[in-house]
Amino acid sequence: MAAVSLTSDVEVAARTSVRRTGPDSAVLELAGAWLSRRGLPEPDASVRELGGIRRLGFDATRVTAWDSGLVTFTLKVLGEAKRAAIDADRGGLPEGVRRLLALAEAVPEKQTGRSGARTPWLARLGASATATAEAARIGVAFLGDSVLALLALVGGRARFRMSDLFLIIQECGPRALGIVTLITFLVGLILAFVGAVQLQQFGASIYVANLVAIAMTREIAGIMTAIVMAGRTGAAFAAQLGTMNTNQEIDALSTMGISPMQFLVLPRMLALILMMPLLTLYADLVGILGGAVVGIGMLALSPTQYFEQTKGAVHLSDFFIGIAKSSVFGVVVALAGCLRGMQSGRSAAAVGLAATSAVVTSIVLIIVLDGFFAVLLNVLGF
Amino acid sequence: MATASAAPRIHVDRLTMAYGSFVIQRDLDFTIQKGEVFVIMGGSGCGKSTLLNHMVGLKEPARGDIVYDGQSFWDATPETQEGLRRRFGVSFQGGALWSSMTLAENVGLPLQTFTDLRPRQIREIVSLKLALVGLAGFEDFYPAEVSGGMLKRAGVARAMALDPDILFFDEPSAGLDPISSRRLDDLILELRDSLGATMVVVTHELASIFTIADNAVFLDAQTRTMIAHGNPKTLRDESPNPTVRTFLRRGETEPAEGAVR
């Protein structure tokens, strides 16, 4: 009978001893309270004492209480006995333990092909290299698919809902104005402040206007807007599409013969291609305004002076360069967000990873592409 | 819709399914006739839903093919595949309704995409389909606002939006109370009888299997292939395979009197 006792007076610590009953037989004596929370003896110690034995019995008459701890212990001992070809008689175990053992052994362990063993470092290196190559292939294929979707749009065959497009435009255009204003205003301010400290030493503080205007229009407004959009909108795209994937909503589109590329990715890409240049133009102006605050407030330049200097410093082409780049960044943010979302695994953790990965991918690509553009424009002489 | 043909509607042709090098099921070979309710059954994790994903064209076979009315799916051009897909309706396990759209928009999207109907006509068809699954009046609800059983029924309404020839159901009764699940079974039979559609149902609910199935295939997780094919009631009583008999008798080895009908 299972002696499951809850009284504490019988809770003497669990202990074992091996009693030899013949030249090749032994009895494993179990005693005390076998409760996991009180600590358990190591099965290895008992197993070591069983050398040279052919028959093993159990004696549990002095066990005062037990729980899963005893079952785990005997399971381990029985496993070792089986490996050493020892004939084990379970008769001496409490009945409850015998039944739990039978239950645990009822379904044989399934060979799932997964082992806990660590693969050697060379194999892991190879696996990660092939995984990287495969990820690059998928990325390029996705880019190709998106171009096909754009062509379908031009040919008037693309299938998506206009209302979706307008919702996404609203989400990634007007609703992003607040954060874009804050960031670019402050960046313009900081840029002017750092420039002012240096230029004042040469009595050339008026050139703060040139510095801010050129840096903002050609580079910083576009990059800052793109990074804000990567964190704000790219992550949202990845999370939306990842959740749709988890919920089989993307499968539902595919089985219906509606291309997820056209229905989900295309409107998101279009929205960012349309909104990024507008946001960047706006960011240019806000950034210049931020510089003006320093120029007028700290360097005692008159507003007219500052804006005349700015007008002389930047050309229309500077604006165009920044705005053209921002369109490309928009495509990057949309594609990275959508790709990571569509690739996402079907769990909450996977959706979180997809959002993170979308932001990281976008920011890396934005910076790399910006460097590429800098070299290209330099070679072309702009 | 009523195209009589000698060839079976669906022929699963020596299909092997695998994730990478891990084979889930091999050498599946069976046919489904027009107008049949065909059940894919088997224990949890044996690859029933994976087989469904292969049949509806979501997952490419490792080997073998699926043939619809003599037309191979996986050897076909993408355009032909599109055409075949448009003849399917798929009801997913959790409904898989597009969460950013109302129930009416969900059911209406395939109509809006593939027909030239006017919005008012679409609205009427949508209301009819929702009424058929008992969801009249829920047109403007979002998926998050209705219960699991209603989601599933809305998924069925969406699957039959374009009056498909073949309807696929993935675990229609999973997670439903017995009465809702019975109602969904009745709906499947009713739709088969009235629309003349072919139904392919993935399930392991015995009550459901015996109520609706004309024909069935049993996938075994242990041997990783199909081990029985036929009418489930016949299989329960006469299958030579003990695994199949045990499954269909809910684990009872002796044929119990007055067990499942």
Side-chain angles (χ1 to χ4, degrees):
Chain A
M1 195 49 229
V4 183
S5 167
L6 296 175
T7 53
S8 55
D9 56 323
V10 291
E11 287 189 11
V12 191
R15 54 189 189 278
T16 62
S17 57
V18 174
R19 178 161 53 86
R20 296 261 172 175
T21 51
D24 60 351
S25 59
V27 167
L28 184 58
E29 290 182 328
L30 310 165
W34 284 74
L35 299 172
S36 307
R37 67 190 140 89
R38 312 256 312 171
L40 298 167
E42 279 297 325
D44 297 342
S46 308
V47 169
R48 271 195 297 278
E49 289 183 56
L50 299 179
I53 284 174
R54 300 265 60 90
R55 278 197 309 283
L56 176 67
F58 292 93
D59 178 4
T61 45
R62 286 192 293 142
V63 170
T64 51
W66 60 269
D67 63 8
S68 310
L70 180 57
V71 183
T72 319
F73 179 89
T74 41
L75 203 57
K76 169 93 181 180
V77 171
L78 287 170
E80 290 296 330
K82 197 174 172 189
R83 201 160 306 134
I86 298 171
D87 185 18
D89 173 20
R90 301 178 182 190
L93 290 170
E95 195 205 342
V97 173
R98 288 205 307 273
R99 282 164 58 176
L100 284 174
L101 285 173
L103 197 60
E105 292 164 344
V107 178
E109 193 174 340
K110 194 171 176 185
Q111 293 302 320
T112 52
R114 282 193 197 165
S115 64
R118 277 172 68 84
T119 41
W121 68 270
L122 198 59
R124 271 181 285 143
L125 182 71
S128 83
T130 47
T132 309
E134 178 63 11
R137 195 192 65 75
I138 291 174
V140 172
F142 194 78
L143 185 66
D145 279 344
S146 68
V147 171
L148 289 180
L150 272 177
L151 287 179
L153 175 76
V154 173
R157 289 174 290 108
R159 294 196 187 106
F160 62 87
R161 302 198 318 160
M162 274 298 155
S163 57
D164 280 355
L165 177 64
F166 292 136
L167 267 179
I168 299 166
I169 283 182
Q170 186 187 21
E171 184 48 47
C172 67
R175 294 227 171 120
L177 280 178
I179 180 121
V180 168
T181 309
L182 178 72
I183 302 269
T184 44
F185 183 82
L186 288 180
V187 168
L189 202 103
I190 293 163
L191 206 61
F193 186 77
V194 172
V197 172
Q198 303 299 316
L199 289 169
Q200 258 181 333
Q201 297 175 8
F202 306 102
S205 42
I206 184 72
Y207 286 102
V208 163
N210 296 46
L211 170 74
V212 170
I214 293 175
M216 268 295 158
T217 51
R218 286 181 73 107
E219 294 287 343
I220 296 181
I223 290 198
M224 290 318 292
T225 312
I227 289 178
V228 166
M229 294 311 276
R232 197 183 170 279
T233 306
F237 286 175
Q240 286 163 5
L241 267 55
T243 311
M244 289 185 78
N245 195 25
T246 308
N247 199 13
Q248 288 191 295
E249 291 174 42
I250 294 181
D251 284 352
L253 281 174
S254 306
T255 54
M256 217 154 260
I258 301 174
S259 152
M261 207 67 209
Q262 291 175 10
F263 194 81
L264 298 174
V265 178
L266 194 56
R268 287 174 168 77
M269 200 162 69
L270 280 181
L272 274 182
I273 291 178
L274 294 175
M275 287 299 110
M276 274 296 288
L278 295 180
L279 283 175
T280 304
L281 181 62
Y282 172 76
D284 285 340
L285 302 179
V286 174
I288 289 173
L289 202 66
V293 168
V294 171
I296 295 162
M298 199 177 117
L299 302 173
L301 301 168
S302 80
T304 326
Q305 227 181 343
Y306 191 90
F307 286 112
E308 279 303 317
Q309 185 71 20
T310 302
K311 255 165 74 183
V314 285
H315 305 286
L316 206 52
S317 67
D318 293 323
F319 279 98
F320 280 138
I321 287 169
I323 287 170
K325 283 198 293 190
S326 76
S327 268
V328 177
F329 296 156
V331 174
V332 166
V333 170
L335 286 188
C338 293
L339 171 67
R340 295 302 183 220
M342 304 260 271
Q343 281 180 331
S344 160
R346 299 187 170 185
S347 70
V351 173
L353 267 184
T356 308
S357 165
V359 175
V360 172
T361 310
S362 316
I363 291 180
V364 168
L365 282 176
I366 286 165
I367 301 295
V368 169
L369 278 176
D370 193 62
F372 172 76
F373 282 131
V375 174
L376 188 74
L377 291 171
N378 189 29
V379 170
L380 292 175
F382 282 103
Chain B
M1 196 189 307
T3 44
S5 89
R9 172 118 300 175
I10 309 172
H11 179 196
V12 173
D13 184 14
R14 282 161 296 160
L15 179 74
T16 294
M17 315 187 289
Y19 284 109
S21 58
F22 184 74
V23 173
I24 299 157
Q25 290 280 323
R26 61 168 63 86
D27 299 327
L28 301 180
D29 200 302
F30 55 86
T31 56
I32 301 172
Q33 304 299 331
K34 178 173 163 18
E36 214 170 45
V37 176
F38 189 92
V39 167
I40 299 168
M41 56 187 180
S44 301
C46 71
K48 299 186 296 286
S49 294
T50 311
L51 174 57
L52 191 85
N53 282 345
H54 280 75
M55 295 178 77
V56 300
L58 282 176
K59 205 170 174 316
E60 203 172 334
R63 257 204 323 280
D65 202 353
I66 321 271
V67 182
Y68 290 95
D69 290 333
Q71 167 68 56
S72 149
F73 187 90
W74 291 106
D75 278 344
T77 59
E79 290 75 31
T80 316
Q81 288 187 345
E82 284 274 286
L84 282 172
R85 279 201 180 105
R86 220 158 295 158
R87 294 177 44 201
F88 304 161
V90 188
S91 147
F92 288 91
Q93 222 175 97
L97 295 180
W98 299 303
S99 40
S100 59
M101 304 183 206
T102 62
L103 298 193
E105 286 173 324
N106 264 283
V107 181
L109 182 69
L111 293 161
Q112 200 185 324
T113 312
F114 297 114
T115 68
D116 296 324
L117 296 170
R118 284 192 295 280
R120 189 184 47 80
Q121 293 171 309
I122 290 182
R123 183 88 195 167
E124 283 164 9
I125 296 180
V126 166
S127 294
L128 168 71
K129 303 279 171 180
L130 284 174
L132 286 180
V133 296
L135 286 176
F138 285 95
E139 280 85 349
D140 295 325
F141 280 61
Y142 280 92
E145 298 170 330
V146 301
S147 75
M150 287 158 83
L151 273 184
K152 243 177 200 173
R153 280 185 280 151
V156 175
R158 185 180 66 184
M160 41 182 228
L162 291 171
D163 292 334
D165 296 342
I166 308 166
L167 268 164
F168 294 91
F169 296 84
D170 193 2
E171 307 261 4
S173 35
L176 292 189
D177 64 85
I179 295 171
S180 306
S181 133
R182 175 63 196 256
R183 251 193 240 134
L184 207 52
D185 285 348
D186 291 344
L187 181 66
I188 292 173
L189 289 175
E190 193 57 54
L191 290 175
R192 189 270 308 264
D193 294 340
S194 51
L195 297 174
T198 308
M199 306 285 179
V200 181
V201 184
V202 164
T203 185
H204 51 219
E205 293 283 326
L206 283 181
S208 193
I209 291 173
F210 290 121
T211 315
I212 61 174
D214 297 318
N215 215 340
V217 66
F218 185 93
L219 304 187
D220 184 37
Q222 214 69 44
T223 54
R224 295 193 188 152
T225 188
M226 52 186 272
I227 55 173
H229 180 200
N231 182 293
K233 285 176 199 156
T234 322
L235 288 178
R236 174 189 59 193
D237 301 329
E238 294 164 20
S239 170
N241 195 312
T243 314
V244 179
R245 287 199 312 269
T246 314
F247 179 90
L248 288 172
R249 287 183 186 138
R250 206 165 176 265
E252 289 160 30
T253 39
E254 294 301 312
E257 275 310 306
V260 200
R261 193 163 57 87

